[in-house]
Amino acid sequence: KVVRLRPDGQVPADNPFVRQAGHRPLHWSLGHRNPQGAALHPQTGELWLSEHGPQGGDEINRVLAGRNYGWPVVTHGCEYGTCRPVGEGSSKPGMEDPLTVWVPRSIAPSGLVFYTGDRYPGWQGQLFSGALAGQALWRLRLDGNRIVEREMLLGDLGERIRDVRQGPDGWLYLLTDSRFGRVLRLER
């Protein structure tokens, strides 16, 4: 679940489950498996998440109030080792489909950021996700709220990308996850 609280810890009165039996008032959305990265859309303020699927089935989701994102009922992934199906399939009425999914192999998405700077011409408004198992940085080009293109960057680096953030200077910075982890600045 994703929860929504005010900075003082109070539950906003307009949370979608405030008066629904069987739900806690602080819940914002349901059916998330394992969120790893979170970013607020720079124009809409909406929350977007990168989520680990089971074996395969890693997702990017736009998190909307009161919606169910399916886990464990629907997923594009399968059981580790056997690859037996999980749940009831990959889509079901009343459950949100992911904006993009990585199959058949997991990339293990990590940190997530919308790029708003001017250091990388043409990349403004695009979404970037680190990848642990995939050992890369993913650039996700958007058209409105749709992901229309994915590009793997830094695949030859050979390091797990734990996080990606935009610095106040407009550069993208990456945190690698290894014995001798590094902070790297992406230059293009």
Side-chain angles (χ1 to χ4, degrees), residues 28-97:
W28 180 256
S29 61
L30 313 169
H32 301 282
R33 182 177 184 269
N34 188 353
Q36 293 291 308
L40 297 176
H41 192 285
Q43 278 80 44
T44 67
E46 293 172 334
L47 176 66
W48 290 44
L49 294 178
S50 62
E51 300 185 42
H52 286 200
Q55 182 176 314
D58 298 331
E59 302 176 353
I60 301 289
N61 286 301
R62 178 177 161 230
V63 183
L64 301 174
R67 304 288 176 90
N68 186 331
Y69 291 83
W71 181 259
V73 178
V74 296
T75 179
H76 289 264
C78 56
E79 293 285 349
Y80 289 104
T82 65
C83 209
R84 282 188 295 230
V86 174
E88 302 172 12
S90 59
S91 188
K92 187 174 181 178
M95 296 185 179
E96 297 298 309
D97 290 329

Side-chain angles (χ1 to χ4, degrees), residues 12-178:
D14 64 343
N15 268 9
F17 297 106
V18 166
R19 291 172 185 79
Q20 285 194 26
H23 294 282
R24 297 190 62 197
L26 54 82
H27 292 162
W28 180 256
S29 61
L30 313 169
H32 301 282
R33 182 177 184 269
N34 188 353
Q36 293 291 308
L40 297 176
H41 192 285
Q43 278 80 44
T44 67
E46 293 172 334
L47 176 66
W48 290 44
L49 294 178
S50 62
E51 300 185 42
H52 286 200
Q55 182 176 314
D58 298 331
E59 302 176 353
I60 301 289
N61 286 301
R62 178 177 161 230
V63 183
L64 301 174
R67 304 288 176 90
N68 186 331
Y69 291 83
W71 181 259
V73 178
V74 296
T75 179
H76 289 264
C78 56
E79 293 285 349
Y80 289 104
T82 65
C83 209
R84 282 188 295 230
V86 174
E88 302 172 12
S90 59
S91 188
K92 187 174 181 178
M95 296 185 179
E96 297 298 309
D97 290 329
L99 299 176
T100 194
V101 62
W102 282 267
V103 290
R105 295 191 53 163
S106 292
I107 65 159
S110 58
L112 195 65
V113 69
F114 283 95
Y115 183 69
T116 60
D118 59 6
R119 295 284 186 173
Y120 313 99
W123 285 4
Q124 291 82 5
Q126 296 186 18
L127 190 61
F128 289 82
S129 176
L132 299 168
Q135 296 185 334
L137 176 68
W138 285 86
R139 181 182 65 84
L140 307 164
R141 188 168 65 83
L142 305 177
D143 181 5
N145 289 318
R146 294 181 319 117
I147 295 173
V148 295
E149 177 187 2
R150 298 188 318 203
E151 179 184 14
M152 183 174 69
L153 305 170
L154 305 174
D156 58 349
L157 188 62
E159 291 193 55
R160 294 161 45 103
I161 306 296
R162 171 60 64 186
D163 202 4
V164 56
R165 292 286 171 244
Q166 179 180 318
D169 57 4
W171 292 106
L172 287 175
Y173 290 89
L174 313 173
L175 177 64
T176 67
D177 181 1
S178 64

